[in-house]
Amino acid sequence: MKTPYRVMIVDDSAVIRGFLSRWLNEEADIEVVASAVNGAVALKEFEKHRPEIVVLDIEMPEMDGMTALPKLIEMDRDVKVIMASTLTLRNADISMKALAKGAADYIPKPESTRQADDKEIFHRDLVAKIKALGETRRRKLGEQTPPPVQPTRKELPPVASASGGLYKGANVELRPFRSNGLLPKALAIGSSTGGPQALFSLFEKLKGKLASIPVFITQHMPATFTAILAEHLSKIAGIPCREAVDGEKVENGHIYLAPGDWHMTVVKDGTDLKISLNQNPPENFCRPAVDPMLRSLDTVFGSRLLTVILTGMGQDGQKGCEQLAKSGGYVIAQDEESSVVWGMPGAVATAGLSNAVLPLTSIPGAIENALTGRPS
């Protein structure tokens, strides 16, 4: 029998603590071992119960979530903290800062627990995040974990990576890359859980090196959060980044971020390329989703699209990468060790669709090599 993931809920609302505890305790592989009314109480409860995952409210009396966050991580560097907040610009900005300071993920609270759809989405997302983060923690620590959600292929021996080393991760077979000698004309990035932190790190190292191409990002996030993420990325990358606008012309040296609740695609309009947004049904339970972005970019750029799939839950991006593989595009997947959750990059890697599986710290160099034509 697998031991349940141990969770602590920290929120000043007794109502929220109550319904979260009921929801989570209904899951066979989740157990709420503690709850706290603020950060100060949370530190004491954490010491007693040692939860693996903490759902941490931002705004609380006596000690708020941002104050408690580094103290919790100091007590256990492997604890997975999910920041929970109401969907406001201020809280979205605080959540981004929390991710940069060590929080594993965030989740917006529903505006009303009486709205069935809002409750269902919040419930589903919170349970999925807890299980994914709990599994990642236990794998890292070598502890017993419930069976992984993703199907696995047979064990393969270490294989040569496109960067010249060996990727020793299980179930990974790299797709050989046949260069046509032409440089990439665009960069596409897909990410979810852990994505903001990964994007911050990526663009910090790529500052000043992306002026020659457009960059397209789909990060699973609600609308308020994508606006704040774009602001942060614009400062870090040193080139304009904003939520994409329907009908705007695509320009080199610009980063286009899919706005929350909208799929982002790119279409040809004569000699120009333009952004096209839509609210077609969610794909992989997500809107925005990576797959529709990749499908459209493959149609426009084909083999001259460079794609990076970063940390995230689920399999969004896999089908898009299947199309890219047929076109001969170059695909980099983040490796398991550096991913907060190895769902999206793992799905691409284990399906044999990636040309390289790299730690996050090596991906900026691989991107620069591809853009300059240097051998990698």
Side-chain angles (χ1 to χ4, degrees), residues 20 22-24 26-27 107 110 117-129:
L20 286 184
R22 287 194 300 274
W23 283 354
L24 297 179
E26 289 173 357
E27 301 291 326
I107 189 165
D117 289 347
D118 289 347
K119 284 176 63 177
E120 182 180 349
I121 293 170
F122 178 72
H123 185 179
R124 182 196 70 206
D125 288 352
L126 181 59
V127 168
K129 289 173 186 289

Side-chain angles (χ1 to χ4, degrees), residues 69-143:
L69 173 64
K71 298 178 184 294
L72 290 168
I73 295 173
E74 186 178 346
M75 295 171 76
D76 179 359
R77 65 179 184 179
D78 295 308
V79 66
K80 302 298 182 183
V81 179
I82 301 173
M83 304 302 294
S85 70
T86 51
L87 200 55
T88 65
L89 280 171
R90 177 179 179 275
N91 284 338
D93 188 45
I94 293 173
S95 295
M96 290 299 103
K97 292 174 181 176
L99 294 176
K101 291 182 179 296
D105 205 354
Y106 62 89
I107 189 165
K109 295 179 186 176
E111 293 183 9
S112 172
T113 57
R114 297 174 183 174
Q115 294 290 333
D117 289 347
D118 289 347
K119 284 176 63 177
E120 182 180 349
I121 293 170
F122 178 72
H123 185 179
R124 182 196 70 206
D125 288 352
L126 181 59
V127 168
K129 289 173 186 289
I130 287 171
K131 291 182 179 181
L133 292 171
E135 180 185 341
T136 297
R137 173 191 162 95
R138 291 188 182 184
R139 282 184 176 179
K140 180 179 178 182
L141 298 177
E143 296 177 3

Side-chain angles (χ1 to χ4, degrees), residues 149-352:
V149 176
Q150 302 295 341
T152 59
R153 300 170 61 190
K154 66 179 181 180
E155 185 79 16
L156 295 170
V159 290
S161 77
S163 59
L166 288 177
Y167 182 73
K168 298 182 174 61
N171 313 317
V172 172
E173 186 174 17
L174 297 177
R175 174 170 61 88
F177 180 68
R178 295 172 179 83
S179 174
N180 56 12
L182 299 175
L183 301 180
K185 296 182 70 174
L187 171 63
I189 302 174
S191 53
S192 182
T193 308
Q197 304 97 306
L199 290 168
F200 296 156
S201 173
L202 193 71
F203 283 101
E204 188 173 30
K205 294 182 179 179
L206 288 171
K207 190 169 186 176
K209 300 173 182 177
L210 297 172
S212 63
I213 59 166
V215 180
F216 306 93
I217 303 173
T218 291
Q219 159 72 40
H220 298 161
M221 268 187 167
T224 309
F225 282 72
T226 49
I228 296 297
L229 177 62
E231 289 182 14
H232 283 257
L233 290 178
S234 192
K235 294 175 184 176
I236 293 170
I239 57 176
C241 175
R242 66 171 182 170
E243 289 181 308
V245 177
D246 188 55
E248 72 175 313
K249 181 181 174 181
V250 171
E251 299 181 56
N252 291 337
H254 286 66
I255 301 171
Y256 301 92
L257 178 67
D261 204 33
W262 292 84
H263 294 309
M264 177 179 70
T265 62
V266 176
V267 296
K268 286 185 178 180
D269 183 10
T271 58
D272 293 333
L273 297 178
K274 292 188 175 179
I275 298 292
S276 178
L277 303 179
N278 68 74
Q279 288 190 310
N280 291 343
E283 295 190 29
N284 307 298
F285 302 101
C286 303
R287 191 171 65 200
V290 178
D291 279 334
M293 176 185 74
L294 294 183
R295 288 196 301 267
S296 73
L297 292 175
D298 176 68
T299 301
V300 172
F301 295 106
S303 64
R304 301 188 71 177
L305 178 67
L306 173 61
T307 300
V308 177
I309 303 298
L310 296 174
T311 173
M313 293 191 303
Q315 301 182 41
D316 190 24
Q318 180 180 342
K319 290 182 179 178
C321 286
E322 288 174 0
Q323 189 168 324
L324 296 176
K326 294 175 183 177
S327 300
Y330 195 84
V331 177
I332 299 170
Q334 186 175 347
D335 74 352
E336 184 172 9
E337 181 65 25
S338 66
S339 295
V340 174
V341 176
W342 205 54
M344 287 168 53
V348 170
T350 57

